[in-house]
Amino acid sequence: MIARLETWWHVGVDSFAEDGGYDPAEVPRELCWYITASVTDIAALVDADGWAHGYGNTGLRVVDGRVHMALAWCLDVDRAAWAAVRGLDPRGSVRADLLAHMASELFHLPSVCETDAVMTARYSTGDGPVRRLWTPADRRRTEPAH
């Protein structure tokens, strides 16, 4: 099964720099690299032996102290393998689950989840196009170290 996931990110330079210990000048490159490198490490995709191929122009820029970028992937995974990993009926909405799960996992990456990131995801399912906005209020926060 092949599915396309498009995301748009807006992240405060200082927020990501402070949380990740980066020099603010390095943030745009480091943030883009981190998310792009992490997509193929999402556990369910790895367990289903799937892959994510990036495509398109990132449009990476900083405006008013916020990194703006677009990241898009073509997700390639066996339908039955994804269904098995996620405990789904392979005759059901496997594509919708793949796309929703991957978008959510990207937004909740460890080095992103403590920032002020806002992400919009867009993808198509058998039921039509989906557009979802995640804000800091939607975030699963990591637990502080004890």
Side-chain angles (χ1 to χ4, degrees), residues 26-46:
E26 298 172 352
V27 166
R29 178 180 47 86
E30 291 294 332
L31 177 63
C32 185
W33 176 85
Y34 173 71
I35 295 169
T36 301
S38 297
V39 70
T40 56
D41 292 333
I42 292 175
L45 190 64
V46 171

Side-chain angles (χ1 to χ4, degrees), residues 2-9 31-42 45 51-58 69-76 95 98-99 102-107 109 119-124:
I2 296 176
R4 294 188 186 275
L5 172 62
E6 298 172 341
T7 61
W8 290 268
W9 297 81
L31 177 63
C32 185
W33 176 85
Y34 173 71
I35 295 169
T36 301
S38 297
V39 70
T40 56
D41 292 333
I42 292 175
L45 190 64
W51 194 252
H53 309 274
Y55 70 90
N57 185 344
T58 65
M69 64 184 173
L71 300 173
W73 294 275
C74 180
L75 305 172
D76 187 355
R95 178 181 308 274
L98 166 69
L99 291 160
M102 292 297 292
S104 178
E105 289 297 306
L106 284 171
F107 185 70
L109 286 170
M119 182 192 84
T120 300
R122 183 175 68 184
Y123 51 88
S124 292

Side-chain angles (χ1 to χ4, degrees), residues 12-25:
V13 169
D14 292 338
S15 178
F16 190 77
E18 182 180 304
D19 188 66
Y22 296 106
D23 180 304

Side-chain angles (χ1 to χ4, degrees), residues 75-132:
L75 305 172
D76 187 355
V77 64
D78 180 79
R79 181 181 186 85
W82 183 264
V85 165
R86 298 279 294 149
L88 304 171
D89 179 345
R91 298 166 298 189
S93 298
V94 177
R95 178 181 308 274
D97 179 78
L98 166 69
L99 291 160
H101 181 77
M102 292 297 292
S104 178
E105 289 297 306
L106 284 171
F107 185 70
H108 293 97
L109 286 170
S111 288
V112 175
C113 72
E114 295 299 329
T115 70
D116 64 355
V118 173
M119 182 192 84
T120 300
R122 183 175 68 184
Y123 51 88
S124 292
T125 67
D127 297 325
V130 174
R131 185 176 176 97
R132 166 91 197 267

Side-chain angles (χ1 to χ4, degrees), residues 63-74:
V63 177
D64 295 329
R66 295 187 67 77
V67 176
H68 295 256
M69 64 184 173
L71 300 173
W73 294 275
C74 180

